[in-house]
Amino acid sequence: RVQVVESGGGLVQAGGSLRLSCTASELTFKDYLMAWFRQAPGKEHEGVSCISWTGYSQYYKDSVQGRFTISRDNAKNTLYLQMNNLKPEDTAMYYCAARKNRTYPGDARCFDGMSYWGKGIQVTISS
């Protein structure tokens, strides 16, 4: 069965960096649009970034634009999220998700209709 597993979370100080990884198994990775989501305590679940199946196109939530970089390695079935200049408001549980559709809308619609989800990984930023 399909498994999506996140790694790389942890505790860092404000201004620091973390790189999240997400490995997907039992699916044809290159057939999937991939995305990162997050949910902070008491806040709604939100899309952070998504990437087309080729990796050439990306979309970012405004608050992370310029600080986060999403990428993927289709040969390794792995998605990444490089997070720089982290802020306390980035503290959340981060989730990786996959959507079986190569169509890339180029806007926040890329966060709709995910097929598979990871269990999430905690990212905590101290001030």
Side-chain angles (χ1 to χ4, degrees):
R1 88 181 197 281
V2 172
Q3 287 193 311
V4 178
V5 181
E6 303 93 343
S7 62
L11 170 65
V12 297
Q13 290 188 329
S17 298
L18 279 174
R19 188 174 84 153
L20 303 183
S21 298
C22 166
T23 301
S25 59
E26 302 303 323
L27 54 74
T28 304
F29 191 71
K30 62 181 173 61
D31 285 343
Y32 287 76
L33 177 153
M34 299 296 296
W36 289 98
F37 292 77
R38 69 186 182 187
Q39 186 166 23
K43 295 191 177 180
E44 292 187 356
H45 193 253
E46 63 179 7
V48 175
S49 181
C50 60
I51 188 167
S52 63
W53 73 273
T54 62
Y56 293 150
S57 299
Q58 307 92 34
Y59 176 82
Y60 297 93
K61 172 181 171 63
D62 285 348
S63 62
V64 307
Q65 179 78 46
R67 300 188 297 121
F68 290 11
T69 303
I70 191 171
S71 61
R72 63 190 295 164
D73 184 336
N74 287 346
K76 295 182 178 180
N77 280 22
T78 302
L79 175 73
Y80 303 99
L81 185 68
Q82 178 66 43
M83 305 185 293
N84 298 329
N85 190 22
L86 284 160
K87 304 176 180 181
E89 52 263 41
D90 294 317
T91 294
M93 186 74 79
Y94 282 71
Y95 299 88
C96 173
R99 185 172 86 190
K100 192 177 188 327
N101 190 329
R102 286 188 170 188
T103 302
Y104 177 73
D107 55 29
R109 290 175 296 170
C110 70
F111 297 128
D112 298 337
M114 291 295 154
S115 308
Y116 301 104
W117 292 83
K119 292 183 178 180
I121 193 160
Q122 181 66 40
V123 171
T124 303
I125 314 303
S126 63
S127 57

